[in-house]
Amino acid sequence: MDNPYLTIRISQLIYQRSIPSPLNSTTPSFTYLKPFKTPTSLDHPRRLQSQQRRRAAHQAFLRRKSCAIHGLVMLVLFETPAGFALFKVLDEGKLDKVEDLWKEFTSAESARKIVKLQAFNKFENTSDALSAATLLIDSKPSKGLRKFLRAHCDGETLAVADSKLGNAIKDKLKIDCLHNNAVMELMRGLRNQLTELISGLAVQDLAPMSLGLSHSLSRYKLKFSPDKVDTMIIQAIGLLDDLDKELNTYAMRVREWYGWHFPELSKIVQDNIQYAKVVKLMGNRTNAVALDFSEVLSEETEAELKEAAVISMGTEVSDLDLANIKELCDQVLALSEYRAQLYDYLKSRMNTIAPNLTALVGELVGARLIAHGGSLLNLAKQPGSTVQILGAEKALFRALKTKHATPKYGLIFHASLVGQAAPKIKGKISRSLAAKTALAIRYDALGDSQDNSMGLENRAKLETRLRVLEGRELGQSAGSTKGKPKIEYYDKDRKKGAGALITPAKTYNTSADLLLEQATDSTRSNTTSEVAALPKKRKHREAELPPSEKTVDATPMSEAKDAGEKRKKKRKISESENTNLQVDDPVSGDKSEEQIKKKTKKKKDVNQDEEVPSKKEKKKKHAEEEQAMGDAVHKKKEKKKKDKGRE
């Protein structure tokens, strides 16, 4: 049995086939008959779990057998508030029965038969205990623990309560570590009989040690946890909002209360803090003339206040009432001072915790976003679309329920970049700002640097985008729909808009002057030329039309021509008569004017009488034209059908 490989192989056969062990005849034989196999995707989950348990038990068995062959010892590392303890396992056979292991630790005598204290490393002070505990929470061995294990673990197997800690010890110290259900049950037994197994450690000493270490550890984690640092910001912004509400209610109460005595003061002094200072300084309005308000008010406001105090319509107030009003003013001023201090504190905290977020949206909006999200880390997990509408959840769900347009911004609406934008661009700017804000939040929450260079750079980009969007809107209003202005050719003769101021004025043309007789002749010639030109156009149109449509449109068009020509001739004759009368008899102006008016009235009446039947005739003609057109179309269809039938 000198060959270790042969002994391990024999132990495997013993485990699989229940052969009595030649190494130790007192150990019970195992009854696992099925050999191990690699799990496949077709195996049931319960079967996989059972195979994993059997494999773990098999590995523990092989480890114990190899320890027994090579003379190795299993040690247990146990952490206490006083220091680290190493226990030596005396009877490893008891670890095979995990379910019955707790019975061995019911008394101190039975526990001493299984384990024995081999070494103990005591903490020197509370800081050493705190540093070791914090490293153990992160599954890292401290410097003192590494020295302790190098001194007392030389080739032994070490049982640990944390598998990650065991991997770290194995990588750094090259010590084999063990972690399974048997080890965890052994740890429970050691914790139950700890004071009996370690001499000099009483229950009275252990309880305050554990309590003090837990308190210092919790304080340390709260101090340096990234999740808990922003709680101060959340509380500060909540208190700031509450102070604003209280200040507003207190200031309104001061105005209403003192308004019975001096009602004109509320219109003269608009600011609430200045109003409280004036009321506290003045007291009764009769004292206003003799007081100096230069520290609180401007000269114009002070003069107006003194004039109003002399002629005020307010009622008289007792000294006791004025004393209570002054106390309320003191409360308002104290709250305003504390509010200013709190704002400075919030500003400093935001610049240290979230500098990039502060550079983008400001201290108040950034703090409200963190408070609404719960913490900076929770806010970093949200996408830009969620950051955009954060604070407008009620409006969002109302819009989804009623199938209306969803909101474009929430708390981010109060940022300065969104406030600078025009109403049409606010949605686009808020979307861009939300995307950059989400990046800044993640950088602040998870990044290492504490500068605001990223936030300032993104803010500059957003400002340029805002200017581009505003320029595009101006281009759309001035030019075409795509933002590009329409290019129009310059015409010096056209007088429209600003071009009329640029083009030079034309000189006066004397040859263009005409007398009245020449004007009438020219108008007659123009009208005759227009009348002569009309039939040519109509003939050209008739030539383009098909022959069937010409026949249909011939009669109504000719009638309309005749009626129009008659009306034009009548108007021209009347105009010529009027002009002749004015030229021939310039002296008898009054009589001629009266005659002209009478004639024009008569002609208007005649024209109205003629126009009434002409409208009816037009309707009849229109109906006849439509009927004729329909008949022509119907005839065309019939001809086409006949032609197709012949073919």
Side-chain angles (χ1 to χ4, degrees):
M1 291 296 175
D2 294 334
N3 192 354
Y5 175 76
L6 183 61
T7 56
I8 292 171
R9 184 60 184 159
I10 290 170
S11 63
Q12 289 177 355
L13 294 173
I14 291 168
Y15 180 69
Q16 292 178 2
R17 301 187 181 181
S18 299
I19 299 173
S21 173
L23 298 175
N24 190 2
S25 59
T26 58
T27 57
S29 61
F30 294 92
T31 57
Y32 297 116
L33 299 177
K34 293 183 181 180
F36 292 109
K37 64 176 182 177
T38 57
T40 59
S41 60
L42 299 176
D43 291 334
H44 196 271
R46 292 182 181 176
R47 188 179 297 172
L48 290 175
Q49 290 176 2
S50 63
Q51 288 178 3
Q52 289 173 359
R53 284 196 297 268
R54 286 191 287 115
R55 180 172 293 176
H58 179 60
Q59 290 175 357
F61 170 74
L62 293 179
R63 194 185 295 272
R64 287 194 301 274
K65 289 298 179 183
S66 65
C67 291
I69 291 166
H70 295 289
L72 300 178
V73 180
M74 182 182 290
L75 299 177
V76 181
L77 177 64
F78 192 81
E79 304 94 10
T80 66
F84 294 106
L86 271 178
F87 291 95
K88 180 182 178 181
V89 180
L90 300 176
D91 190 359
E92 296 181 8
K94 300 288 184 180
L95 300 178
D96 297 333
K97 299 178 181 180
V98 180
E99 296 178 355
D100 298 334
L101 190 60
W102 64 274
K103 297 178 181 177
E104 304 296 333
F105 289 92
T106 54
S107 62
E109 295 177 358
S110 60
R112 289 192 185 97
K113 294 179 182 178
I114 297 175
V115 291
K116 179 185 177 182
L117 181 64
Q118 186 170 355
F120 187 82
N121 183 21
K122 186 179 178 181
F123 295 132
E124 293 181 359
N125 48 31
T126 310
S127 62
D128 290 344
L130 181 61
S131 61
T134 50
L135 289 172
L136 283 175
I137 289 171
D138 297 332
S139 301
K140 295 177 183 179
S142 62
K143 188 176 180 180
L145 179 60
R146 290 198 296 270
K147 288 182 180 180
F148 179 63
L149 292 177
R150 283 195 190 98
H152 296 89
C153 288
D154 188 9
E156 289 90 349
T157 303
L158 185 66
V160 293
D162 188 4
S163 59
K164 293 181 180 179
L165 178 63
N167 293 330
I169 291 171
K170 187 175 181 180
D171 294 338
K172 292 181 180 180
L173 304 176
K174 307 299 180 184
I175 297 173
D176 293 333
C177 296
L178 181 64
H179 174 76
N180 53 21
N181 293 332
V183 172
M184 295 304 295
E185 194 68 28
L186 186 62
M187 292 287 180
R188 293 189 189 98
L190 287 172
R191 192 176 296 109
N192 190 21
Q193 299 293 334
L194 185 62
T195 55
E196 299 294 333
L197 294 172
I198 300 174
S199 60
L201 186 64
V203 180
Q204 296 84 4
D205 299 332
L206 188 63
M209 284 181 188
S210 60
L211 184 62
L213 183 60
S214 62
H215 279 243
S216 58
L217 184 63
S218 62
R219 282 196 297 270
Y220 179 83
K221 294 298 287 182
L222 284 173
K223 183 179 179 182
F224 293 100
S225 174
D227 298 334
K228 299 297 180 182
V229 168
D230 48 16
T231 52
M232 302 302 168
I233 293 175
I234 296 170
Q235 298 297 327
I237 190 64
L239 181 58
L240 196 69
D241 292 337
D242 293 340
L243 282 176
D244 289 335
K245 292 178 183 177
E246 293 295 326
L247 269 172
N248 191 18
T249 53
Y250 279 20
M252 290 298 107
R253 183 61 61 189
V254 169
R255 285 178 178 272
E256 186 178 356
W257 199 350
Y258 194 74
W260 290 98
H261 178 60
F262 193 2
E264 293 83 5
L265 184 62
S266 59
K267 292 183 180 179
I268 297 168
V269 181
Q270 300 292 333
D271 188 35
N272 293 330
I273 307 302
Q274 286 184 356
Y275 189 92
K277 289 179 180 178
V278 169
V279 171
K280 182 182 177 183
L281 181 62
M282 180 170 55
N284 200 327
R285 68 170 184 266
T286 56
N287 303 328
V289 180
L291 292 174
D292 183 17
F293 297 96
S294 59
E295 295 181 358
V296 183
L297 302 174
S298 61
E299 293 180 0
E300 297 176 356
T301 311
E302 183 180 358
E304 188 178 358
L305 186 147
K306 290 180 179 179
E307 290 177 2
V310 176
I311 58 171
S312 177
M313 298 175 64
T315 60
E316 295 296 330
V317 180
S318 63
D319 295 337
L320 183 60
D321 296 333
L322 286 174
N324 287 317
I325 292 171
K326 286 182 179 180
E327 288 180 1
L328 184 57
C329 293
D330 292 335
Q331 293 289 329
V332 171
L333 295 174
L335 284 175
S336 65
E337 290 177 2
Y338 179 63
R339 198 253 182 208
Q341 293 176 4
L342 186 65
Y343 178 72
D344 293 337
Y345 165 74
L346 179 64
K347 189 175 180 180
S348 64
R349 294 300 298 167
M350 282 295 296
N351 285 321
T352 54
I353 293 169
N356 296 287
L357 178 63
T358 306
L360 272 175
V361 297
E363 298 87 7
L364 294 176
V365 179
R368 286 193 177 95
L369 285 173
I370 293 171
H372 201 82
S375 67
L376 188 64
L377 196 61
N378 290 341
L379 196 63
K381 297 174 185 176
Q382 305 296 335
S385 57
T386 305
V387 174
Q388 182 181 355
I389 59 170
L390 207 65
E393 291 85 1
K394 190 180 288 185
L396 174 66
F397 291 117
R398 190 193 307 120
L400 293 175
K401 186 177 180 181
T402 56
K403 296 182 180 179
H404 286 86
T406 54
K408 296 179 181 178
Y409 26 68
L411 291 170
I412 210 169
F413 176 77
H414 300 286
S416 60
L417 284 169
V418 181
Q420 293 171 10
K424 292 183 180 178
I425 317 172
K426 282 187 188 293
K428 293 181 181 179
I429 288 296
S430 63
R431 184 169 63 249
S432 304
L433 180 60
K436 297 296 183 184
T437 303
L439 291 176
I441 291 166
R442 291 166 194 168
Y443 189 77
D444 290 332
L446 307 171
D448 295 331
S449 62
Q450 295 294 327
D451 58 341
N452 59 351
S453 59
M454 179 188 176
L456 294 174
E457 184 181 354
N458 289 332
R459 186 179 178 87
K461 289 180 181 178
L462 288 170
E463 286 175 352
T464 55
R465 175 165 170 76
L466 177 61
R467 286 195 294 271
V468 167
L469 287 173
E470 286 177 349
R472 190 180 298 172
E473 289 293 327
L474 291 173
Q476 286 181 0
S477 61
S480 62
T481 55
K482 293 183 179 180
K484 297 178 181 178
K486 291 181 179 178
I487 299 170
E488 296 179 354
Y489 293 103
Y490 175 70
D491 187 7
K492 64 178 183 178
D493 297 329
R494 192 175 64 180
K495 301 285 185 178
K496 287 184 179 180
L501 301 173
I502 298 168
T503 55
K506 290 183 179 180
T507 58
Y508 182 71
N509 189 8
T510 55
S511 61
D513 294 338
L514 293 175
L515 296 174
L516 291 172
E517 293 178 355
Q518 293 176 356
T520 52
D521 295 335
S522 63
T523 52
R524 286 176 187 174
S525 62
N526 291 332
T527 51
T528 53
S529 63
E530 288 175 359
V531 171
L534 283 171
K536 289 181 181 179
K537 291 181 181 177
R538 284 170 184 161
K539 284 178 182 179
H540 181 66
R541 289 178 186 171
E542 287 174 359
E544 291 178 355
L545 292 171
S548 60
E549 292 183 4
K550 281 182 183 179
T551 56
V552 174
D553 297 337
T555 54
M557 291 294 290
S558 61
E559 291 175 358
K561 284 179 192 176
D562 297 336
E565 288 176 359
K566 287 178 182 179
R567 288 175 190 166
K568 286 180 180 178
K569 286 179 181 179
K570 288 179 181 179
R571 288 175 186 171
K572 289 172 186 176
I573 292 164
S574 63
E575 288 175 358
S576 62
E577 289 176 354
N578 293 333
T579 53
N580 291 328
L581 286 169
Q582 289 176 1
V583 172
D584 295 337
D585 299 327
V587 179
S588 60
D590 298 334
K591 294 181 180 179
S592 61
E593 286 178 1
E594 291 177 357
Q595 291 174 0
I596 290 164
K597 286 180 181 179
K598 288 179 181 179
K599 287 180 180 179
T600 52
K601 284 182 182 179
K602 288 180 181 180
K603 287 176 182 179
K604 285 181 182 178
D605 296 335
V606 172
N607 291 330
Q608 287 178 1
D609 295 336
E610 289 177 356
E611 285 176 359
V612 172
S614 66
K615 288 181 180 178
K616 293 180 180 179
E617 288 175 0
K618 282 182 181 180
K619 288 182 181 178
K620 288 180 181 179
K621 287 177 183 179
H622 186 65
E624 289 174 359
E625 287 175 5
E626 287 182 352
Q627 190 174 359
M629 289 287 288
D631 295 338
V633 172
H634 185 64
K635 285 178 182 180
K636 276 186 182 181
K637 289 182 180 178
E638 287 181 353
K639 283 182 182 181
K640 286 181 181 179
K641 286 181 182 179
K642 286 179 183 180
D643 293 337
K644 286 182 181 179
R646 287 174 186 175
E647 290 175 358

